[in-house]
Amino acid sequence: MRHGVAGRKLGVTSTHRAAMFRNMAHALLKHEQITTTLPKAKELRPVAERLITLGKKGGLANRRLAHAKLRDDVIVNKLFGPLADRYRTRQGGYTRVLRAGIRYGDAASMAVIELVDRDVSAKGQDSGPVQGQDETEE
């Protein structure tokens, strides 16, 4: 029996799973929308919502807990600044999981996980060089 056993293993080790959710939470808070498989999106939701709740509470201890999870000052500042202000009146439910069809290669169920009331301009921000621009321009 599986009493008290929560969460999916997702076919990876526990350390890989922790690192994967750390990276996915970082990407979700940075871009405010990411595409992944449906089971990963469903497992990422509580991780992201706990981080946003830490941001709403504020304080040094919560900032340190968030930094231990995310390991990026820029994202932690965004979490405790604009995101905390945006969700100040909301009592939870900061993310939304939308089904996005089936992946061609292995027929995996895909999903889009996004922040509710997201900033559309944050998608793809700081993701590398923009296509079509010449880097030698001055």
Side-chain angles (χ1 to χ4, degrees), residues 43-54:
E43 288 297 312
L44 176 63
R45 186 181 347 178
V47 173
E49 299 218 355
R50 283 188 189 103
L51 286 169
I52 293 172
T53 302
L54 286 177

Side-chain angles (χ1 to χ4, degrees), residues 29 48 50-56 62-63 66-67 70 73-85 88:
L29 294 175
R50 283 188 189 103
L51 286 169
I52 293 172
T53 302
L54 286 177
K56 280 177 55 179
N62 289 328
R63 185 176 284 268
H67 191 276
L70 294 171
D73 292 330
V74 175
I75 300 300
V76 171
N77 288 337
K78 180 179 180 180
L79 180 63
F80 281 78
L83 292 180
D85 295 339
R88 185 70 59 198

Side-chain angles (χ1 to χ4, degrees), residues 72-110:
D72 187 359
D73 292 330
V74 175
I75 300 300
V76 171
N77 288 337
K78 180 179 180 180
L79 180 63
F80 281 78
L83 292 180
D85 295 339
R86 185 185 311 166
Y87 298 117
R88 185 70 59 198
T89 58
R90 185 178 284 269
Q91 300 264 323
Y94 313 115
T95 59
R96 171 188 303 132
V97 175
L98 303 168
R99 292 174 186 260
I102 297 171
R103 186 162 55 197
Y104 174 72
D106 58 357
S109 312
M110 297 301 286

Side-chain angles (χ1 to χ4, degrees), residues 59-71:
L60 181 60
N62 289 328
R63 185 176 284 268
R64 285 179 173 167
L65 287 170
H67 191 276
K69 192 71 166 176
L70 294 171
R71 298 182 183 169

Side-chain angles (χ1 to χ4, degrees), residues 27-35 78 112-114 118-127:
L28 178 63
L29 294 175
K30 180 178 181 181
H31 302 294
E32 301 191 13
Q33 180 187 42
I34 58 172
T35 303
K78 180 179 180 180
V112 173
I113 182 168
E114 64 183 12
R118 69 185 176 93
D119 178 19
V120 180
S121 65
K123 185 176 178 183
Q125 187 177 25
D126 299 330
S127 293

